[in-house]
Amino acid sequence: MLELLDHGAVRELRLARPPVNALDPALLVRLNEALGQAEREGVGAVVLSGAPGRFSGGLDVPALLALPRPQIRQAWVALFDLLASLAHAPMPVVAALTGHSPAGGTVLALYADYRVLAAGRYVVGLNEVQVGLPVPPFLYRALTFVVGERQAARLGVAGLLLEADEALRVGLVDELAPVEEVVPRALAFAHDLLTRPRTAMLQTRAHARAPLREAFASVTPALIDGVVEQWFSEETQTTLRKLVSRLGKG
């Protein structure tokens, strides 16, 4: 479900869970393990990538709907742990958004240092509200960090999905490239960053990303319990099951 490819000092972590690279608990844990492995092995930078046309379809909602409460809690903990690892990653992380990247796909990208998206009618965005899930405070902080306060409110409250050109315009992504060039462009950015004096670059990066790290102080057992309660609420369950039904008909 995850391929590791080394490009010199840069390691590509390629999502490989067909058909849409949906994020289930096992993949979340595996990604987190791979980040820890990269840190231990002294990898210079990491690139997150997916399949041509599809970076990630987000959380595996059909699978999650079948889980009982204790396993749902574990799934949210796995996601939050992965995002905390991305926020605290000591090495640069670049998101190579090789296609559609809604919801969870965008969530991963928000914690990267740089985002390259495939040009065309590929969508990104936090559509959590549209499927009955509030955006938790630490994630909203990441959205604000990337696009600024006004755009974060517009995108987050309405749960908007944006096509590539609009995503670039509002700053949700940093660069567009033909789908076959997304990974090469992400690798090029990472390699270029590693040409800087290492200590100066990494310390400045740490200062810049402090708001992302500090926001995780809000991830308490009470917050996780609240997320689980919301997941099992009638509103959220009804909305998610309608979503799954639409996807099944598609």
Side-chain angles (χ1 to χ4, degrees), residues 60-82:
D60 190 342
V61 173
L64 293 178
L65 282 172
L67 297 180
R69 186 177 294 260
Q71 292 183 39
I72 283 295
R73 195 179 196 282
Q74 291 173 6
W76 284 112
V77 169
L79 174 61
F80 296 168
D81 283 350
L82 170 60

Side-chain angles (χ1 to χ4, degrees), residues 13-226:
L13 305 182
R14 182 183 298 168
L15 303 179
R17 187 172 182 259
V20 298
N21 288 332
L23 303 171
D24 72 342
L27 179 53
L28 295 171
V29 170
R30 181 68 189 95
L31 263 172
N32 206 355
E33 291 173 346
L35 283 171
Q37 179 182 345
E39 179 179 353
R40 291 191 301 274
E41 295 178 359
V43 170
V46 167
V47 168
L48 303 178
S49 70
R54 179 73 67 174
F55 173 68
S56 173
L59 291 177
D60 190 342
V61 173
L64 293 178
L65 282 172
L67 297 180
R69 186 177 294 260
Q71 292 183 39
I72 283 295
R73 195 179 196 282
Q74 291 173 6
W76 284 112
V77 169
L79 174 61
F80 296 168
D81 283 350
L82 170 60
L83 299 181
S85 294
L86 287 168
H88 289 82
M91 79 291 284
V93 178
V94 182
L97 304 177
T98 49
H100 292 299
S101 312
T106 297
V107 169
L108 296 181
L110 286 175
Y111 289 91
D113 296 75
Y114 193 78
R115 288 152 288 275
V116 183
L117 173 63
R121 303 196 66 180
Y122 297 111
V123 297
V124 293
L126 299 184
N127 62 329
E128 277 73 1
V129 165
Q130 290 202 46
V131 299
L133 295 170
V135 177
F138 68 91
L139 179 52
Y140 188 81
R141 182 67 186 89
L143 180 63
T144 304
F145 180 82
V146 173
V147 301
E149 292 185 2
R150 181 65 194 99
Q151 289 296 344
R154 183 175 79 93
L155 302 179
V157 173
L160 298 181
L161 293 176
L162 307 180
E163 291 187 2
D165 288 343
E166 176 70 358
L168 180 66
R169 186 187 71 80
V170 303
L172 188 55
V173 300
D174 300 292
E175 181 180 344
L176 303 182
V179 64
E180 69 276 7
E181 290 295 320
V182 170
V183 172
R185 289 300 308 147
L187 290 170
F189 180 87
H191 280 294
D192 181 66
L193 204 56
L194 295 180
T195 65
R196 300 332 191 245
R198 182 172 178 78
T199 300
M201 183 271 288
L202 290 179
Q203 289 188 3
T204 303
R205 175 181 177 272
H207 297 326
R209 291 169 61 85
L212 295 178
R213 300 190 302 273
E214 293 164 359
F216 278 89
S218 70
V219 183
T220 62
L223 179 140
I224 296 170
D225 290 342

